[in-house]
Amino acid sequence: MKQSPASFNDFEAFLNKFIDKTISFLPNLIGAIILFVVGIWVCRIIRKFVKRIMISRSVDTTIQNFVNELLRWILYIILFLTVIQKIGVPVSSFLGALAAAGVAVGLALQGSLSNFAGGIMLLILKPFRIGDSIETKGHIGNVERIGMFYTTIIKFGNEQVMIPNGPLFSDNIVNYSRTKKRRDKIIVGIGYGSDLKKAKEILYTLAKECPTALQDPIPIVYVEELADSSVNLSLRVWSNTENYWDTHFYLVEQMKLSFDKENIEIPFPQTDVHIIPN
């Protein structure tokens, strides 16, 4: 079909208008790209500057990480709004649309907002710090990172666990690193026919000779329980927090070796079967 002159003129006019718009828009686009690249660089400079100030003033590492992450989001949002304004998008209209969508987004992200609020409360109340050994939500490990939404824990088997800040803050938290000293309670059972006084003397001697056990407060040995098949002794011994597990494992091993050497029985579950002939 032969194209009419009117249709060709309309297409030519549209093409010329498109080219004119593109040429007029091109400086803004180039400027926006340059602004974006420079803005990313400036954001990094600001974050590094703020971090240096916090380090020079000995601000807690937990607060440093949290402020750094929060500052990153704020700076990137400001940069984004500046770039779209440079392109020609009215910021006021964009913010209005963003506010209208914010209600729906807020309802959809209630969990994330709860985690953010939990992170703020963890930052304010400081139930633990980075490097602390804690127990929470069924996990025990060292705190590696406290973020805006999640706290990262490295378990003793080197497994990484990320726990949402909201449930974490509302749960029970046991901090094993907050105090300088910890008291261990080691239970060991001996047979009813074994020498009770000798067993207690052995435990006192082990606690005294343990290189990482503290002697102030002094170690104490109690008769914990007269159980069904054993007399359970309880050794209470103090150590510095960083030496807690070394002290525990040393004493448990030495108990077994010393009791074997002194012929003190450590009972174990066993079943006697009596066969009654017909």
Side-chain angles (χ1 to χ4, degrees):
M1 180 180 292
K2 186 176 180 181
Q3 190 177 27
S4 63
S7 299
F8 180 78
N9 291 335
D10 291 341
F11 174 75
E12 186 177 12
F14 170 77
L15 185 60
N16 291 333
K17 185 177 181 180
F18 176 77
I19 293 174
D20 292 339
K21 289 286 186 180
T22 302
I23 293 175
S24 62
F25 177 72
L26 195 58
N28 291 338
L29 180 60
I30 296 175
I33 295 174
I34 295 174
L35 179 63
F36 176 77
V37 174
V38 174
I40 292 293
W41 178 75
V42 171
C43 289
R44 291 176 179 174
I45 294 297
I46 293 175
R47 289 170 58 199
K48 289 181 179 179
F49 177 73
V50 172
K51 187 173 183 179
R52 279 201 298 267
I53 292 178
M54 291 189 293
I55 292 176
S56 64
R57 297 186 178 182
S58 301
V59 177
D60 186 81
T61 306
T62 303
I63 299 178
Q64 290 185 32
N65 293 338
F66 195 92
V67 170
N68 187 49
E69 190 171 350
L70 182 61
L71 183 62
R72 181 183 66 177
W73 282 95
I74 293 175
L75 291 175
Y76 284 173
I77 290 174
I78 295 175
L79 176 61
F80 173 73
L81 294 176
T82 306
V83 169
I84 64 172
Q85 186 178 27
K86 181 66 178 179
I87 293 176
V89 179
V91 176
S92 58
S93 301
F94 180 83
L95 290 177
L98 187 63
V103 177
V105 173
L107 293 175
L109 298 178
Q110 285 184 9
S112 297
L113 295 177
S114 173
N115 293 334
F116 179 77
I120 295 293
M121 296 306 297
L122 291 174
L123 184 66
I124 295 174
L125 299 179
K126 298 179 181 178
F128 54 80
R129 295 179 174 88
I130 292 177
D132 283 358
S133 177
I134 67 171
E135 179 179 357
T136 184
K137 307 297 290 184
H139 301 287
I140 302 177
N142 295 324
V143 179
E144 181 186 48
R145 182 174 178 272
I146 304 174
M148 293 177 60
F149 302 101
Y150 292 89
T151 293
T152 304
I153 295 177
I154 301 298
K155 300 179 68 174
F156 297 138
N158 205 34
E159 304 93 345
Q160 184 185 73
V161 180
M162 298 182 66
I163 304 176
N165 287 335
L168 173 60
F169 176 72
S170 61
D171 194 37
N172 296 327
I173 301 173
V174 180
N175 191 331
Y176 295 110
S177 302
R178 181 56 57 91
T179 55
K180 295 181 179 180
K181 296 187 293 186
R182 288 181 62 185
R183 188 184 72 170
D184 196 2
K185 176 182 177 181
I186 306 176
I187 305 294
V188 59
I190 64 173
Y192 273 93
S194 299
D195 191 332
L196 176 60
K197 291 184 178 180
K198 180 183 287 188
K200 293 181 67 174
E201 290 175 1
I202 291 173
L203 295 181
Y204 275 119
T205 301
L206 292 177
K208 184 178 180 180
E209 294 178 351
C210 177
T212 55
L214 299 177
Q215 304 306 314
D216 184 19
I218 61 173
I220 300 176
V221 179
Y222 291 111
V223 177
E224 180 83 9
E225 180 186 12
L226 300 177
D228 293 338
S229 58
S230 65
V231 177
N232 293 335
L233 302 181
S234 174
L235 171 60
R236 315 289 179 90
V237 59
W238 289 83
S239 64
N240 292 325
T241 299
E242 63 271 18
N243 297 327
Y244 176 83
W245 288 112
D246 290 337
T247 304
H248 176 86
F249 293 135
Y250 173 89
L251 289 173
V252 170
E253 180 179 348
Q254 293 302 315
M255 283 179 184
K256 177 64 169 66
L257 295 176
S258 298
F259 282 1
D260 288 347
K261 184 178 180 180
E262 298 296 333
N263 296 319
I264 294 178
E265 178 190 6
I266 299 179
F268 56 90
Q270 54 185 330
T271 302
D272 293 332
V273 179
H274 300 274
I275 300 176
I276 301 176
N278 293 331

